[in-house]
């Protein structure tokens, strides 16, 4: 078996105080998650609803699960009863559905808004202007069963460290702007979820509060 415990320790050793690790366990078996759990890891991230549900049913109940992938609105109802955080919210429509399903479950669900800053073409994530517009619109204030806790983003998958750094800086700058404009009185708006296996050391230098690391802990995914 892959040395999950050793790898986990090595990643944790590189994280400064105050930066949390979301161990991304998608496509990895329960025994890998259990190994990380035995080392004290409690936050895990998954990106597929069915795989997540199977893991939730068979793993310890004190695990905090983060949904990190693209979430279709028709899947929200399945994860709403138990999910700790939905990290990749990129539309008002999705935010409304999360609010509705959270209300049905009599809970408040923590979410992050997903930014699209990387140069890569993707359908997902809000470009900075769209993120500003979503908040300026104001409807989110009436959604009492979602709590916007910060921003999430993925940097471009490139070797150019300066480019990656610049993208994190753009995200941090936008975070500061939105914090001042909309969340100055909201202490929960504090999370900056950036940094993956190939770039988390740069991410923590650029203000990440939450890194999402999979491969460096669990090895390559077998799809
Ligand atoms: C898979 C995934 C990760 C983890 O990627 P690694 O390169 O394995 O560390 C982080 N964030 C998101 C959104 C992902 O889908």
């Amino acid at each position: 078996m892959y040395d999950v415990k050793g790898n986990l320790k090595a990643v944790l050793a590189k994280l400064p105080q105050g930066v949390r690790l979301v161990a991304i366990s998608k496509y990895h078996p329960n025994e890998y998650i259990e190994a990380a759990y035995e080392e004290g890891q409690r936050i895990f991230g998954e990106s597929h609803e069915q795989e997540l549900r199977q893991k939730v049913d068979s793993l310890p109940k004190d695990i905090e699960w983060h949904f990190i992938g693209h979430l279709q609105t028709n899947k929200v109802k399945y994860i709403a009863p138990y999910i700790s955080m939905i990290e990749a919210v990129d539309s008002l429509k999705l935010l409304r559905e999360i609010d509705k399903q959270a209300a049905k479950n009599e809970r408040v669900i923590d979410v992050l808004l997903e930014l699209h800053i990387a140069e890569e073409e993707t359908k997902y994530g809000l470009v900075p202007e769209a993120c500003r517009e979503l908040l300026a619109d104001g409807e989110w204030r009436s959604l009492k069963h979602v709590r916007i806790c910060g921003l999430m983003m993925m940097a471009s998958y490139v070797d150019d460290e300066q480019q990656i750094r610049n993208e994190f800086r753009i995200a941090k700058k936008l975070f500061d702007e939105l914090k001042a404009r909309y969340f100055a009185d909201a202490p929960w708006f504090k999370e900056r979820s950036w940094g993956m296996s190939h770039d988390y050391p740069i991410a923590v230098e650029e203000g990440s509060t939450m890194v999402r690391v999979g491969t460096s802990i669990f090895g390559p995914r077998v799809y």
Side-chain angles (χ1 to χ4, degrees):
M1 173 167 150
Y2 215 75
D3 182 14
V4 169
K5 292 186 182 185
N7 293 334
L8 178 73
K9 279 188 207 157
V11 170
L12 288 172
K14 288 189 204 154
L15 300 183
Q17 276 279 324
V19 178
R20 291 190 295 159
L21 170 65
V22 183
I24 304 301
S25 49
K26 64 189 184 197
Y27 296 101
H28 292 295
N30 281 1
E31 57 194 304
Y32 282 29
I33 299 172
E34 281 159 355
Y37 183 90
E38 282 168 19
E39 281 299 308
Q41 179 65 25
R42 289 295 179 272
I43 313 177
F44 292 85
E46 291 278 337
S47 57
H48 295 94
E49 179 271 317
Q50 286 192 345
E51 180 183 355
L52 173 55
R53 189 155 25 137
Q54 284 168 3
K55 287 175 173 172
V56 168
D57 287 345
S58 53
L59 287 161
K61 297 302 167 215
D62 62 340
I63 290 179
E64 289 176 39
W65 295 101
H66 286 206
F67 199 90
I68 58 155
H70 176 67
L71 181 59
Q72 292 169 285
T73 45
N74 63 357
K75 298 282 171 65
V76 175
K77 57 178 174 290
Y78 301 121
I79 66 170
Y82 63 81
I83 202 74
S84 288
M85 180 174 269
I86 298 176
E87 291 211 16
V89 174
D90 64 357
S91 72
L92 187 56
K93 182 171 168 243
L94 181 57
L95 204 57
R96 282 188 197 121
E97 179 64 15
I98 295 169
D99 181 67
K100 183 176 147 193
Q101 298 300 335
K104 276 190 188 165
N105 286 279
E106 297 179 340
R107 58 186 299 243
V108 175
I109 296 181
D110 286 345
V111 305
L112 303 179
L113 298 177
E114 181 186 4
L115 292 180
H116 176 69
I117 290 169
E119 64 181 13
E120 284 135 23
E121 286 289 324
T122 146
K123 303 190 289 258
Y124 305 130
L126 297 155
V127 297
E129 202 42 43
C131 188
R132 289 189 185 98
E133 278 167 19
L134 189 153
L135 292 170
D137 165 79
E139 183 184 331
W140 60 276
R141 292 182 194 278
S142 67
L143 306 176
K144 299 298 182 198
H145 293 267
V146 288
R147 192 167 72 153
I148 300 174
C149 296
L151 304 178
M152 177 270 209
M153 61 85 83
M154 273 182 274
S156 293
Y157 195 79
V158 293
D159 290 329
D160 182 352
E161 190 181 311
Q162 196 54 48
Q163 182 181 345
I164 294 170
R165 200 177 283 285
N166 283 343
E167 291 176 4
F168 290 145
R169 284 183 184 169
I170 292 169
K172 172 66 163 64
K173 210 163 158 242
L174 184 62
F175 174 92
D176 291 341
E177 176 194 320
L178 299 175
K179 175 78 185 168
R181 191 170 296 172
Y182 300 104
F183 299 100
D185 300 325
W188 56 85
F189 188 89
K190 63 180 169 53
E191 302 297 355
R192 297 179 292 272
S193 176
W194 43 85
M196 301 163 57
S197 289
H198 70 285
D199 59 15
Y200 75 89
I202 307 172
V204 296
E205 287 173 10
E206 301 300 338
S208 171
T209 62
M210 202 185 259
V211 295
R212 307 178 311 271
V213 178
T215 309
S216 293
I217 299 169
F218 300 113
R221 288 179 281 275
V222 182
Y223 295 104

